Amino acid sequence: MLAAARRAGRRLARGARGGEPSARGDDDIGRAAAGSDFKSRLERGRLCALVRGAFAQRVEPVALGLWAGYRAPRWLEGSRLRELLDPPAEVGEGAICAEGEHDPAVRRGRLAARTAVWLLGRAPGPARNTCLYRSIAEAEVLRRYGIPAVVRLGFAPADGVADNPSGHAWIELPDKGPLDQAATNSAGRYQPVTPARENRP
Amino acid sequence: MSGAGYVITDDVLSSHYDEESVLVHLHSKRCFRLNATAAEVWRGLEAGLSREEIAGRLCARYEVESDTAAAEAARLIGELAKNGLIREAGAGEE
């Protein structure tokens, strides 16, 4: 009785390891065990994919956006902003989104970046909650996702005061123009500045 | 500086309106609004003209004496150079 149980156990283990089932009547036990193992692996795989997906779609973009908002003031040190005014030579250290700027992860990243700038603008420090800081942070998020966003600076000639022209910053995509409706409105109202050396006729 | 050409520095962004221009110096984060005369001088600098050529353009456009135009061009160019927007060609290549 005990020996028979051991044999059955060995067969079960062999079946679970994916070994050849025996040609006897207890094959069903091995198949059932293998099936159960496959199912648990499948569930584990699904769980992993779910966790990875949640991380890529929610945690990563939010973290990226917050980080970009925190780093925004650094882009204003020296002439570093110039890097964001020109289209990048190469884009995206991270994954390139199939849906581009409309990808939910990208939208979450942009929202997180704006939120970070808003929060940091209220705290003591160099950050300010202005269009320039928001545009810088969002452009960094977009570039991380492989979207070659550029920051545009513009001035409104009509309501500019002599010593203090009315300025604005927004984001554009080189091939598509302004990124969203707000940027489209800005682009219509403000005339962008361009590198002066390139204005040579 | 007579006869010398000038180079606009890499840090300068500009935009032209009907008569006026706006300049942004990225390094100092300062904006400059140029009136019609200064904008004319700036356009001359963007076109790579010398001080004399720019003064000639001012003479033609505003019908002023060449001495007056040359003095005004020199003053504006000096102001622009003082603010780091331009430098003499060949001086301090970046």
Side-chain angles (χ1 to χ4, degrees):
Chain A
M1 179 80 178
L2 191 64
R6 280 186 187 145
R7 276 200 301 275
R10 278 199 293 272
R11 281 182 203 126
L12 192 66
R14 228 178 11 243
R17 285 199 300 267
E20 283 295 314
S22 70
R24 277 180 250 166
D26 51 10
D27 286 357
D28 294 344
I29 301 170
R31 273 198 209 106
S36 155
D37 185 58
F38 176 73
K39 199 174 165 187
S40 74
R41 272 195 223 165
L42 191 69
E43 279 170 6
R44 259 206 315 272
R46 276 186 189 152
L47 188 67
C48 284
L50 201 69
V51 170
R52 272 200 299 270
F55 183 83
Q57 285 294 316
R58 294 177 189 279
V59 180
E60 192 180 45
V62 170
L64 194 59
L66 295 174
W67 178 240
Y70 171 73
R71 277 166 47 94
R74 295 192 187 180
W75 285 98
L76 293 171
E77 291 170 1
S79 306
R80 215 178 146 212
L81 183 61
R82 183 71 195 268
E83 287 175 45
L84 292 179
L85 300 176
D86 298 324
E90 52 186 60
V91 289
E93 292 170 13
I96 293 177
C97 292
E99 294 179 57
E101 68 274 17
H102 303 297
D103 193 281
V106 176
R107 286 210 304 265
R108 279 190 196 101
R110 289 177 61 198
L111 180 63
R114 284 199 299 270
T115 307
V117 170
W118 181 80
L119 287 170
L120 291 168
R122 287 166 179 265
R128 292 166 61 196
N129 182 23
T130 64
C131 53
L132 181 59
Y133 285 81
R134 286 192 295 272
S135 299
I136 289 170
E138 287 187 54
E140 185 169 3
V141 169
L142 288 160
R143 287 188 178 194
R144 290 276 180 163
Y145 279 104
I147 300 161
V150 292
V151 173
R152 284 270 177 267
L153 306 176
F155 291 89
D159 48 306
V161 187
D163 296 325
N164 185 22
S166 166
H168 187 48
W170 65 95
I171 303 175
E172 284 189 9
L173 302 180
D175 300 333
K176 300 180 185 174
L179 190 62
D180 47 32
Q181 192 54 47
T184 306
N185 296 341
S186 302
R189 186 173 166 220
Y190 297 92
Q191 187 167 323
V193 286
T194 52
R197 283 179 94 161
E198 293 165 19
N199 289 342
R200 182 172 288 202
Chain B
M1 295 210 307
S2 178
Y6 298 91
V7 177
I8 296 168
T9 57
D10 285 333
D11 289 342
V12 184
L13 307 175
S14 69
S15 184
H16 301 294
Y17 306 106
D18 294 339
E19 289 280 306
E20 302 175 336
S21 295
V22 169
L23 308 180
V24 179
H25 193 239
L26 286 177
H27 195 81
S28 65
K29 316 287 178 300
R30 292 183 67 189
C31 294
F32 301 85
R33 193 180 179 99
L34 308 183
N35 64 16
T37 314
E40 186 66 29
V41 171
W42 183 258
R43 285 195 181 94
L45 291 167
E46 283 187 341
L49 303 182
S50 68
R51 197 174 71 182
E52 286 73 20
E53 289 169 318
I54 291 169
R57 273 170 70 148
L58 290 180
C59 278
R61 178 158 183 182
Y62 296 106
E63 296 175 359
V64 291
E65 295 293 322
S66 59
D67 290 349
T68 311
E72 191 63 15
R75 190 184 67 76
L76 282 166
I77 287 169
E79 283 285 310
L80 295 169
K82 197 173 81 180
N83 285 291
L85 299 163
I86 56 168
R87 60 178 164 74
E88 276 190 74
E93 284 291 338
E94 288 173 73

